[in-house]
């Protein structure tokens, strides 16, 4: 039986509310009810309030669709964690309440020499072993892995017993802060009334759960708004964060960490369109090393490097045993061994702060230009890049950290603690690359309510489809044309496109490395693999800007998925995906951008480098031709699939055609290219059925032809015989001529009379038979 995943853990948690006010209790069931039953009775719009440790977030979800469209959202900068520690005084008594093992750390505690049930008497026995440094270290670490529901910061065992200054103890949330929260909630309740929201979920995590006056705090919220507060357990908090990452990406496979203000979680996650509810460990790990909590502990150490090292070693050991306890799926372990590190998905404010610092490091010193896509969701960095930032900031004092884009003064003060934590993580977990996510409680909670058939949809495609419908742009393309056009565009790529694009990795080649692999080849593979998802999205929006002035179309289309565009909030896209979409869409409208410098910065983010950028231009010209063949809704099925038409059965198709076994192609002389109805002297140029065949792209590798793409234009429809269609075919052929990997230089040596055009890495022979 597969392990119980994140979704299984939360099934039944979001049950239909008992009243129209959306009130719900804190004791939600976690039984394995069907997903359909967990969503029955839930109606959109609905509101989610995420009471985190370092801020409170509010969002109104317009509908329970895969892309979880947001009607409105805002954040209140109220730190419930700081409210409980900012003015606290050191604890002078060594007394502490009973401690209970934190979620999923029982096995780790046992490894550290504890096989009992964690009662106070056994803890005191360990305290008496101060004469043994090793035992004392293990005992101290074990107490770190114990969640004290009354005071998390007592986890360093009150070093006052050893004559040291004790850290501050947790205090009740003050009346002032409670009043701020209540007034904020009353504002949000007014917004819910205006938006006709009937279902409201108030979800609280570590800071609310462990507050000394938590019950009173919740009662004040209930009295003011009628909303009950749902307290997540540590298990639910860990799993709902993983669901948030799943909601924000199309496919996930790797390790996952969520860094809040009071705690940090670790798990593995696997989910793709065909993976059902996905998979994660039922033994999710959670430790009290949140950004604010850890910062308090480190600041308490002052300049005592030995004390800081104790905390660092403590985290290293905790993460080491935690990684063992989640029992990483063999598929992910194999990825780690094959790629030289894990893929790590990061969410939570502390980790996002590190992501923005990574972006800030990419500012060009010459002109001060910033990283061109300052959107954290979908941002990808290598483990090496992350390690440099971590090493730079972990030894800084909080006041030394400068603010950068999206890193506030409060967040900047927590950066050294976040970097220290990540340094401990990287000492245990080899990291190949990191994927940042903005998914949190709101996204995870809503995603957990969706039926499996909705969860399995592509969030990016669903976002674009919704955008087309709500903006009225669906009139540019009939949905019945989508499949026809997607197949048309896909058919313009050779069947061995991947093999042709990817450089040879043979011995002595430029692509070969000491590891037998090439980063360029790996990035190109990422680009090629993404096309299956991106082509339908490109087809959906290819005619969106035909109504604009010609000089504005390219720039408007280019911006669509970028920070200044209408789809900047699109989930399921990496920055490489956004760059690919922008580049192809700009080329679809001739590629003439108002700001070429910004265009160049975006194009450099296309995975696969120059080769992929050339392929993007070729794809853009395919879209230009497709747009000419389907300028109005319903025409694609007539022009491209040979359906009935009052003008006849004219068609335009791309066909895969094998090259001659000797790798040669039929040479062409551009001076003999026919235009319009000009007679042809080439017996190969025109088929018996009156159609014209144009070889626009031929695939090759190492001088051997693997196949070619032939565009067949059947006569009989006025849309296909106009000069602008002929020009589009020529532009397509010229773009193909500059694409890498199609008809290499060896062909020129084999041909005695062929004329080749193009300035690309591999020159092409193109036949124009219009």
């Amino acid at each position: 039986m597969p392990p119980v995943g994140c979704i299984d853990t939360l099934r039944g948690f979001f049950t239909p509310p008992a009243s129209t006010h959306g009130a719900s209790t804190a004791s939600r069931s976690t039984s394995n009810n069907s997903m359909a039953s967990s969503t029955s009775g839930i109606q959109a719009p609905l509101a989610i309030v995420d009471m985190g440790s370092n801020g409170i977030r509010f969002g109104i979800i317009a509908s329970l669709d895969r892309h979880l469209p947001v009607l409105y959202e805002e954040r209140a900068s109220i730190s419930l964690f700081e409210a409980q520690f900012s003015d606290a005084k050191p604890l002078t008594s060594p007394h502490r309440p009973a401690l209970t093992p934190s979620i999923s750390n029982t096995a780790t505690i046992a490894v550290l020499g504890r096989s009992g049930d964690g009662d106070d008497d056994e803890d005191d026995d360990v305290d008496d072993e101060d004469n043994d440094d090793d035992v004392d270290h293990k005992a101290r670490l074990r107490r770190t892995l114990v969640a004290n529901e009354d005071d998390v910061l007592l986890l360093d065992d009150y070093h006052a017993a050893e004559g040291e200054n004790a850290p501050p103890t947790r205090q009740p949330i003050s009346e002032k802060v409670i009043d701020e929260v209540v007034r904020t909630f009353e504002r949000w309740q007014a917004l819910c009334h205006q938006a006709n929201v009937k279902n409201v979920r108030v979800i609280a995590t570590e800071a609310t759960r462990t507050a000394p006056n938590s019950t009173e705090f919740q009662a004040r919220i209930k009295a003011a708004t009628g909303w009950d507060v749902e307290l997540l357990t540590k298990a639910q908090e860990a799993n709902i964060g993983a669901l948030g990452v799943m909601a924000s990406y199309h496919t996930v496979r790797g390790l996952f960490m969520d860094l809040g203000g009071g705690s940090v979680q670790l798990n593995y996650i696997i989910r793709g369109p065909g993976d059902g509810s996905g998979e994660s460990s039922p033994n999710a790990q959670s430790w009290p090393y949140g950004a604010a909590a850890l910062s308090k502990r480190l600041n308490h150490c002052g300049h005592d490097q030995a004390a800081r090292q104790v905390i660092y070693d403590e985290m290293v050991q905790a993460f080491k045993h935690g990684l063992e306890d989640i029992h990483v799926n063999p598929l992910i372990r194999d990825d780690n061994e094959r790629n030289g590190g894990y893929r790590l998905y990061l969410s939570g404010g502390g980790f996002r702060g590190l992501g923005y610092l990574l972006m800030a490091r990419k500012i060009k010193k010459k002109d001060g230009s910033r990283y061109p896509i300052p959107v954290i969701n979908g941002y990808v960095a290598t483990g090496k890049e992350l390690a440099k930032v971590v090493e730079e900031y972990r030894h800084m004092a909080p006041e030394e950290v400068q603010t950068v884009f999206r890193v506030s003064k409060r967040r900047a003060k927590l950066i050294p603690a976040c970097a220290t934590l990540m340094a401990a993580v990287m000492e245990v977990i080899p990291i190949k690359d990191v994927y940042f996510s903005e998914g949190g409680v709101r996204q995870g909670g809503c995603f957990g309510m969706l039926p499996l058939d909705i969860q399995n949809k592509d969030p990016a495609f669903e976002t674009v489809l919704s955008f087309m419908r709500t903006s009225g742009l669906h009139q540019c393309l009939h949905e019945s044309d989508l499949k026809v056009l997607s197949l048309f565009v896909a058919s313009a790529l050779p069947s061995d496109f991947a093999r042709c694009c990817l450089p040879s990795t043979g011995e002595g080649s430029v692509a070969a490395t000491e590891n037998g692999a090439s980063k360029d080849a790996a990035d190109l593979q990422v680009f090629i693999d993404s096309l299956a998802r991106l082509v339908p999205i490109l087809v959906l929006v290819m005619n969106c800007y035909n109504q604009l002035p010609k000089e504005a179309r390219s720039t408007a289309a280019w911006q669509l998925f970028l920070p200044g565009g209408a789809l900047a909030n699109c989930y399921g896209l990496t920055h490489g995906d956004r760059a690919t979409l922008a580049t192809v869409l700009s080329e679809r409208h001739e590629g003439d951008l108002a700001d070429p410098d910004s265009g160049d910065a975006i194009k450099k983010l296309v995975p696969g480098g120059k080769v992929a950028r050339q392929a993007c231009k070729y794809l853009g010209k395919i879209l230009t031709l497709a747009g000419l063949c389907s300028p109005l809704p319903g025409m694609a099925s007539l022009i491209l699939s040979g359906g009935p038409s009052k003008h006849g059965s004219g068609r335009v198709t791309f066909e895969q055609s094998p090259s001659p076994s000797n790798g040669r192609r039929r040479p062409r002389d551009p001076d003999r290219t026919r235009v319009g109805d000009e007679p042809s002297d080439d017996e190969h140029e025109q088929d018996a059925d009156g159609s014209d065949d144009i070889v626009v792209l031929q695939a090759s590798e190492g001088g051997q032809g693997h196949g070619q793409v032939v565009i067949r234009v059947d006569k009989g429809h006025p849309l296909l015989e106009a000069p602008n269609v002929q020009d589009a075919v020529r532009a397509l052929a010229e773009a193909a001529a500059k694409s890498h990997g199609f008809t290499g230089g060896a062909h020129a040596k084999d041909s005695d009379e062929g004329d080749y055009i193009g300035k690309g890495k591999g020159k092409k022979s193109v036949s124009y038979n219009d």
Side-chain angles (χ1 to χ4, degrees), residues 1 54 139 157 245 250 265 287 305 325 491 536 538 549 554 568 627 696 700:
M1 174 179 288
N54 204 42
D157 201 31
V245 173
H250 172 258
Q265 288 80 36
W287 301 280
Q305 295 303 318
D325 290 346
S491 65
L538 289 165
S554 182
V696 295
S700 71

Side-chain angles (χ1 to χ4, degrees), residues 418-476:
C418 299
T420 301
L421 181 141
M422 183 51 66
V425 170
M426 299 184 79
E427 187 164 324
V428 175
I429 303 174
I431 298 174
K432 174 67 174 180
D433 47 32
V434 287
Y435 281 60
F436 290 89
S437 169
E438 70 171 9
V441 168
R442 188 195 75 205
Q443 293 86 349
C446 291
F447 185 75
M449 289 190 285
L450 300 178
L452 286 180
D453 61 329
I454 301 297
Q455 291 176 351
N456 286 331
K457 292 183 177 181
D458 185 341
F461 182 84
E462 294 300 312
T463 301
V464 176
L465 192 60
S466 175
F467 164 74
M468 298 287 289
R469 291 169 176 166
T470 57
S471 62
L473 293 173
H474 64 284
Q475 298 176 1
C476 299

Side-chain angles (χ1 to χ4, degrees), residues 47-51 55-60 72-78 181-194 197 200 202 225 227:
I48 299 287
V49 179
D50 171 14
M51 297 178 64
I56 307 176
R57 295 171 177 83
F58 167 78
I60 298 177
Y72 178 76
E73 65 178 359
E74 70 179 38
R75 179 181 183 274
S77 298
I78 301 174
V181 172
V182 168
R183 286 188 285 115
T184 299
F185 276 37
E186 289 175 337
R187 164 183 163 79
W188 291 344
Q189 187 175 46
L191 294 176
C192 289
H193 178 75
Q194 181 66 26
V197 173
V200 180
V202 182
T225 63
W227 297 344

Side-chain angles (χ1 to χ4, degrees), residues 524-539:
L524 270 172
Q525 190 63 60
V526 170
F527 168 77
I528 293 168
D529 292 343
S530 71
L531 294 181
R533 291 184 58 226
L534 300 185
V535 164
I537 294 174
L538 289 165
V539 168

